[in-house]
Amino acid sequence: LTFTYNQESTSSEETLASKHAFEAFAREKGVPKIEHYHSDNGRFIDNAFVQDCNKQGQTQTCCGVNAHHQNGKVEKRIRDLGDDTRKSLIHAIYRWNGVINNALWPYAFRHAANVRNTLPDKKDGTSPLERFCQTEIRPNLKWHHTFGCPVYALDNRIQQGQNIPRWDARAPLGIYLG
């Protein structure tokens, strides 16, 4: 499973917020506790991160310096998500030039992770999200859209049963960000 959380910096506070967001996501999906973290030696050996792991009874191991092969699955996943993000963003820019730009890359990255998490990727037809939750959750493919495609959202006044002037737009144009 891939969990994404956008950070503006690599500060201890934001890194802990990311860790806590992942743990809340796991609890929401029925995984009661994250027991172990395996990470690189960067921000994750910071005192705040280590103390938070200790406080929650979690263990932690780290890769050696410049030993990316020790965390090969994660390195490959990051590369694949980067490639998927780049492809979908370039496609969206090409299709809707002047509206879509590279500033939307965090949304494209999150969208790529969501697609990867929910689509079946094993011969038995299970998805990473199903295996993480240990439950059968079949994706509804009608909710998967191309990143950056135009979308229309019905005006709230209509949804509330109110009348709107005849020539007003009934559905403003937007961008699908995931």
Side-chain angles (χ1 to χ4, degrees), residues 25-88:
F25 171 81
R27 282 190 303 275
E28 177 185 299
K29 300 298 182 195
V31 178
K33 182 181 178 188
I34 303 300
E35 297 178 4
H36 180 80
Y37 285 96
H38 183 68
S39 60
D40 63 17
N41 284 318
R43 177 55 56 193
F44 304 103
I45 58 170
D46 181 272
N47 282 338
F49 193 88
V50 172
Q51 288 172 0
D52 194 71
C53 285
N54 290 339
K55 185 172 87 175
Q56 295 189 40
Q58 299 164 329
T59 57
Q60 181 184 17
T61 55
C62 294
C63 297
V65 176
N66 292 324
H68 299 289
H69 61 279
Q70 292 180 350
N71 217 358
K73 288 182 181 181
V74 172
E75 298 295 335
K76 171 82 165 87
R77 176 65 49 89
I78 292 168
R79 188 179 76 222
D80 289 348
L81 285 173
D83 290 345
D84 293 346
T85 300
R86 188 176 307 105
K87 285 183 277 189
S88 64

Side-chain angles (χ1 to χ4, degrees), residues 54-138:
N54 290 339
K55 185 172 87 175
Q56 295 189 40
Q58 299 164 329
T59 57
Q60 181 184 17
T61 55
C62 294
C63 297
V65 176
N66 292 324
H68 299 289
H69 61 279
Q70 292 180 350
N71 217 358
K73 288 182 181 181
V74 172
E75 298 295 335
K76 171 82 165 87
R77 176 65 49 89
I78 292 168
R79 188 179 76 222
D80 289 348
L81 285 173
D83 290 345
D84 293 346
T85 300
R86 188 176 307 105
K87 285 183 277 189
S88 64
L89 195 55
I90 289 170
H91 176 75
I93 290 170
Y94 175 77
R95 300 295 291 174
W96 207 356
N97 196 9
V99 176
I100 308 286
N101 61 45
N102 289 335
L104 296 177
W105 77 263
Y107 297 100
F109 189 85
R110 189 179 306 175
H111 178 71
N114 184 48
V115 168
R116 184 173 286 270
N117 284 339
T118 56
L119 294 182
D121 64 348
K122 297 287 184 192
K123 288 181 181 179
D124 64 1
T126 61
S127 69
L129 184 60
E130 289 177 289
R131 292 189 299 277
F132 182 75
C133 300
Q134 297 180 353
T135 60
E136 187 175 307
I137 307 168
R138 294 292 175 219

